[in-house]
Amino acid sequence: MRNNIFKNPKLLKLNPVTNVSSNIYNKKKARINRGFGRKIVLSIIILLIVAIGYFLLSSLKNANYTDKSSFEKYSEKYFSNVKEYNDIDTKDSVIKFSQPVSISYELPDIGKKHLETEIEKYLSDISDNCIGKYNDKDLNEKYVLMSGFSSYINKDKLASILFITTEKHEKNTGKFETLSTKVKSINYETESGYKIMPALIFNHDYKEKISKYINKYIKDNKIENLTKDYKYYIDTKAKFDTFILKNNSIIFYFDSNTITKGNDLFEIEISKDDVKGLFKDKFNPQKIDPSKPMVAITYQEGPKGEYTSQILDAYEKNNAVATFFELGQSIEKHYSSKKILKRMLKLNCEIGNLSYTYTNLKKLSNSEIKEEYDKTDKLINNLTGFTPTLMRAPYGQADDDIAKLVKKTSVNWSIDSLDWNNYNKDQMIELINKSGSLDGKIILFQESHEETVKATRELIPMLKKKGYQFVTVSDLLTYKYGVDPSLPKHYGKSYFSDNK
């Protein structure tokens, strides 16, 4: 602007002979100088504001901590960020500042001691594990584990708590690098406090349906940046046990770097309309009351044609359920196997895997054991679309190692009816009556005896009259013992006696 003024004489109208024109010139020059100075100052102020804003933005983006007080604020911000849903209050926060490892996590206010104890143990264990991994690192570096939770209670009073745990590392740069983000969920009935396992809310073929849906979703939406092993996490043998139950849908969550590369979680919401037949019509269709006595009756070595059909008739007549551990060779042998197996599932009975040839597993190699159960799984799945999550070993010869090898829950029995030893109906009933309380017990029958059919017909109404609830093995483990029936673990006879 100053140069334009001097180039245009009309703006100045200078008269070099008089002092007046000179004074005018000097005043205008002073005003011009002052105006130019103000603009320089203003420009500097703007630049400073931009610089400070950029610094503050960077500071927020790469937020860090230097002491316990700043670590508390850092943790509180993380806790707030992960609360997508907030239906359950925070009971307490645990914040441990140290060098090089700092830990923080939140405890939800559930009001159910057994669940709160389980959660405290989980959070304590992952904290100890983190400290064990990084505590001997350089004291000038920082490692942090933070675990917050998101919570949702749906209209059926089923609660979901999703724990989101992040590990970070800062190496003298002032900026944290995320090492991993992991998730774990706990779902339970708000009134009883009993945990909800996938098998209790989904129909028997849920793994196949969920796997198929997620694979199709990834393909149709052209999801990029997939990990090399992503299919492993959505295979039909995956657990699908990390989720939030909403009113008309369910959201599944997967750890970072499992489905997609990087530090972001992968989540997918499936509504009841997306996958027909995925959800059971009602949660806890048997209306099991955990406070009342319950018994699980099991049968094995079938299907055995007419004998098994008559056993099912008795359960249908009395509106009761049982668990059937079926043998691969028997499935192949009887032409009616498909009809029988599908009827079991229709009646809400449970199907387990007894192996293929009924051979003592202790005499087989690991590959032979896997083949025994894989072949029977395939047979059952081909006929029903269902893959058993339970197993039983011939002669009860199993342990935790075998359960983990086969990736199934292994269950023996508490009471043997001795029908295989030619016991008649009356002898079996007497044996069971003399066994004391049946609450939490598992009774063993075979499917290949006429006397077993007769005993079943008499036993069901008799035990119902005594107040026993008939439950499947998975329901017994869940409601009576509070354990996840999908975990690969062996439960022998002593377990049901010691935990009565």
Side-chain angles (χ1 to χ4, degrees):
M1 182 180 293
R2 185 180 182 182
N3 289 335
N4 286 337
I5 290 174
F6 284 120
K7 286 180 181 178
N8 189 351
K10 292 181 180 179
L11 292 176
L12 298 177
K13 297 181 182 179
L14 300 180
N15 185 353
V17 178
T18 65
N19 291 329
V20 174
S21 63
S22 178
N23 289 336
I24 292 173
Y25 171 79
N26 289 332
K27 289 178 182 179
K28 289 198 173 193
K29 182 177 179 181
R31 286 199 297 269
I32 291 170
N33 285 336
R34 285 197 295 270
F36 183 71
R38 289 193 193 102
K39 289 177 181 178
I40 292 176
V41 172
L42 183 61
S43 298
I44 293 172
I45 291 172
I46 291 172
L47 288 172
L48 285 172
I49 291 172
V50 170
I52 292 170
Y54 178 81
F55 175 79
L56 291 175
L57 186 63
S58 299
S59 297
L60 287 173
K61 186 176 179 182
N62 301 318
N64 210 320
Y65 58 86
T66 55
D67 53 24
K68 184 177 180 179
S69 178
S70 57
F71 180 59
E72 288 176 354
K73 293 178 181 178
Y74 186 74
S75 299
E76 286 168 3
K77 183 178 179 181
Y78 177 84
F79 298 154
S80 177
N81 287 341
V82 301
K83 287 189 187 303
E84 183 176 1
Y85 306 105
N86 192 24
D87 287 349
I88 297 173
D89 294 334
T90 299
K91 181 180 180 180
D92 194 11
S93 297
V94 175
I95 297 178
K96 301 177 182 178
F97 171 77
S98 185
Q99 289 180 301
V101 186
S102 295
I103 302 291
S104 65
Y105 55 81
E106 283 188 306
L107 296 167
D109 190 5
I110 297 175
K112 306 294 180 184
K113 186 174 181 181
H114 67 288
L115 288 177
E116 291 182 346
T117 299
E118 179 183 338
I119 289 169
E120 287 178 17
K121 184 179 186 307
Y122 163 70
L123 294 171
S124 177
D125 286 348
I126 62 173
S127 298
D128 290 345
N129 182 58
C130 180
I131 292 171
K133 281 193 298 184
Y134 305 124
N135 210 36
D136 60 348
K137 300 293 184 180
D138 189 337
L139 292 177
N140 293 318
E141 298 182 21
K142 294 178 183 176
Y143 292 87
V144 60
L145 178 144
M146 298 177 292
S147 186
F149 68 88
S150 183
S151 57
Y152 190 95
I153 300 177
N154 70 15
K155 61 185 179 182
D156 296 319
K157 302 300 181 182
L158 304 181
S160 298
I161 302 177
L162 181 76
F163 294 94
I164 303 174
T165 303
T166 300
E167 286 188 13
K168 293 186 176 184
H169 172 223
E170 185 263 308
K171 188 175 182 179
N172 302 321
T173 62
K175 181 178 180 181
F176 271 106
E177 171 193 1
T178 299
L179 301 177
S180 67
T181 304
K182 296 183 178 181
V183 283
K184 175 184 174 62
S185 68
I186 289 183
N187 301 276
Y188 63 96
E189 292 179 286
T190 55
E191 293 183 4
S192 67
Y194 277 85
K195 289 175 66 176
I196 300 169
M197 312 303 175
L200 299 179
I201 55 173
F202 300 125
N203 284 314
H204 58 85
D205 56 349
Y206 74 94
K207 288 189 175 183
E208 288 79 5
K209 288 183 175 178
I210 294 171
S211 175
K212 183 178 179 181
Y213 180 86
I214 297 179
N215 273 291
K216 186 175 185 301
Y217 177 89
I218 288 174
K219 182 179 179 181
D220 291 350
N221 290 275
K222 298 179 181 179
I223 304 297
E224 299 179 347
N225 205 30
L226 295 168
T227 65
K228 180 181 178 181
D229 300 321
Y230 82 93
K231 288 187 176 181
Y232 169 82
Y233 299 97
I234 54 175
D235 184 71
T236 55
K237 291 186 178 180
K239 292 181 179 179
F240 299 115
D241 60 354
T242 303
F243 54 81
I244 281 182
L245 288 166
K246 298 186 72 177
N247 288 327
N248 296 299
S249 64
I250 184 168
I251 306 176
F252 289 96
Y253 295 85
F254 300 85
D255 293 347
S256 65
N257 210 37
T258 55
I259 308 300
T260 53
K261 297 175 183 176
N263 297 315
D264 293 332
L265 299 172
F266 182 84
E267 62 182 81
I268 182 168
E269 185 168 4
I270 303 178
S271 73
K272 292 182 178 180
D273 294 329
D274 289 333
V275 182
K276 300 295 183 183
L278 174 61
F279 297 89
K280 288 183 176 179
D281 293 336
K282 290 183 179 180
F283 171 71
N284 189 9
Q286 301 305 121
K287 297 181 179 179
I288 300 167
D289 185 344
S291 66
K292 295 181 179 179
M294 62 187 75
V295 62
I297 298 184
T298 65
Y299 299 82
Q300 65 179 41
E301 296 187 56
K304 292 292 185 180
E306 192 60 32
Y307 288 142
T308 305
S309 293
Q310 290 178 37
I311 290 170
L312 289 172
D313 288 343
Y315 280 93
E316 184 172 16
K317 180 181 178 180
N318 291 278
N319 191 28
V321 296
T323 300
F324 295 81
F325 290 93
E326 304 300 65
L327 191 67
Q329 287 183 335
S330 292
I331 294 172
E332 288 182 327
K333 182 177 180 180
H334 294 276
Y335 72 91
S336 59
S337 290
K338 181 176 181 178
K339 180 180 178 181
I340 290 172
L341 292 173
K342 295 189 84 170
R343 186 184 178 197
M344 288 174 183
L345 296 174
K346 186 178 180 181
L347 294 176
N348 289 317
C349 290
E350 186 169 32
I351 298 174
N353 187 331
L354 188 64
S355 80
Y356 182 77
T357 61
Y358 205 81
T359 302
N360 189 335
L361 301 183
K362 298 293 185 178
K363 297 180 179 180
L364 301 179
S365 66
N366 284 352
S367 61
E368 289 171 331
I369 292 172
K370 279 188 89 312
E371 184 179 8
E372 284 279 330
Y373 287 90
D374 287 346
K375 286 179 70 173
T376 303
D377 272 351
K378 188 174 181 180
L379 285 169
I380 294 172
N381 184 270
N382 287 342
L383 295 177
T384 67
F386 168 72
T387 302
T389 58
L390 291 184
M391 67 162 282
R392 177 174 283 168
Y395 314 106
Q397 295 295 306
D399 52 32
D400 282 345
D401 290 338
I402 289 176
K404 290 176 183 176
L405 174 67
V406 181
K407 296 181 180 179
K408 295 184 184 296
T409 303
S410 171
V411 182
N412 283 359
W413 53 88
S414 314
I415 301 167
D416 187 347
S417 68
L418 297 179
D419 55 355
W420 55 270
N421 199 29
N422 296 319
Y423 268 39
N424 61 35
K425 175 202 64 159
D426 293 333
Q427 288 174 307
M428 286 185 264
I429 297 295
E430 182 182 7
L431 184 154
I432 292 169
N433 280 332
K434 288 183 176 180
S435 298
S437 173
L438 302 179
D439 187 21
K441 298 294 180 64
I442 297 176
I443 302 174
L444 169 66
F445 285 104
Q446 313 298 314
E447 293 177 54
S448 53
H449 305 286
E450 177 66 29
E451 291 299 308
T452 300
V453 176
K454 294 178 182 179
T456 297
R457 289 171 179 159
E458 187 172 320
L459 189 65
I460 299 174
M462 182 188 79
L463 294 182
K464 277 201 162 189
K465 191 174 181 180
K466 291 182 177 181
Y468 287 103
Q469 302 172 94
F470 282 76
V471 298
T472 63
V473 167
S474 287
D475 283 347
L476 184 77
L477 290 172
T478 300
Y479 288 99
K480 188 65 183 177
Y481 297 102
V483 300
D484 187 343
S486 68
L487 298 178
K489 180 176 175 61
H490 175 66
Y491 298 94
K493 181 177 179 178
S494 61
Y495 179 85
F496 301 100
S497 298
D498 297 341
N499 290 279
K500 181 178 174 183

